[in-house]
Amino acid sequence: MITLDLMNSTEFQEYLNSAIKSYAESNVQSGNWSERESISKATEQYEQLLPDDEKTPNNKLFTIRFDGKEVGMIWLALKPNNKGFIYDIRISEDYRGRGFGKKAMEDIEKVGRELGIKSIGLHVFAHNPIARSLYEKLGYKETSVVMEKKL
């Protein structure tokens, strides 16, 4: 059994440090940003999205726990028109492949329903086929596709 517990400030700072680095790397890998600018751009985006850290209104950042141990995190933002958006979900490497991501996604849908959300969106990088597969199995559908050709 997993639980979703609202993040405390210590958990948030640990998350933020790794999230900025990971987000920067994903944008470099996707060809969106140069390596030189990636950390500053990622930092800027997190500052815009979460100006009050884990206490930013309309954002719910949860620590995912299994038997009391931290196994990951998930971030749900409340958007206008009864929509939600999952900005991030992470399962610690030692706990991947054990169904924790799927269960957390199912549980965040319950949280969303309780908050009056009627639909949840998310973004997944094309170079992450494991995540794409999970989201498709959970019923998420593509709503747009951005394509690029290197010249």
Side-chain angles (χ1 to χ4, degrees), residues 2 10-11 33 51 72 79 102 104 107 130 132 135 150-151:
I2 70 163
T10 301
E11 291 167 336
W33 299 339
K79 299 293 186 178
K102 180 180 180 190
D107 285 359
I130 294 171
R132 287 183 65 150
Y135 303 146
K150 299 287 184 190
L151 301 179

Side-chain angles (χ1 to χ4, degrees), residues 138-151:
L138 289 168
Y140 286 78
K141 305 286 184 215
E142 290 180 358
T143 57
S144 69
V145 176
V146 176
M147 300 175 78
E148 180 177 279
K149 178 180 179 181
K150 299 287 184 190
L151 301 179

Side-chain angles (χ1 to χ4, degrees), residues 28-45:
V28 169
Q29 187 175 353
S30 294
N32 298 330
W33 299 339
S34 72
E35 194 166 337
R36 180 181 53 74
E37 69 184 347
S38 65
I39 293 294
S40 64
K41 283 193 166 207
T43 300
E44 181 180 313
Q45 285 195 7

Side-chain angles (χ1 to χ4, degrees), residues 3-14:
T3 59
L4 302 182
D5 301 322
L6 286 172
M7 271 188 195
N8 63 41
S9 59
T10 301
E11 291 167 336
F12 177 78
Q13 287 306 314
E14 290 172 6

Side-chain angles (χ1 to χ4, degrees), residues 49-84:
L49 290 169
L50 296 169
D52 297 323
D53 298 337
E54 78 282 1
K55 294 180 177 96
T56 300
N58 297 319
N59 287 271
K60 305 289 184 189
L61 290 102
F62 295 96
T63 298
I64 304 165
R65 295 196 202 311
F66 173 68
D67 286 342
K69 295 179 187 162
E70 184 176 334
V71 299
M73 65 74 56
I74 191 165
W75 169 12
L76 175 66
L78 287 69
K79 299 293 186 178
N81 301 316
N82 298 325
K83 294 185 179 223

Side-chain angles (χ1 to χ4, degrees), residues 76 107-118 120:
L76 175 66
D107 285 359
I108 207 69
E109 290 175 12
K110 291 176 190 169
V111 170
R113 280 187 206 94
E114 291 169 5
L115 295 169
I117 291 172
K118 302 294 181 203
I120 296 178

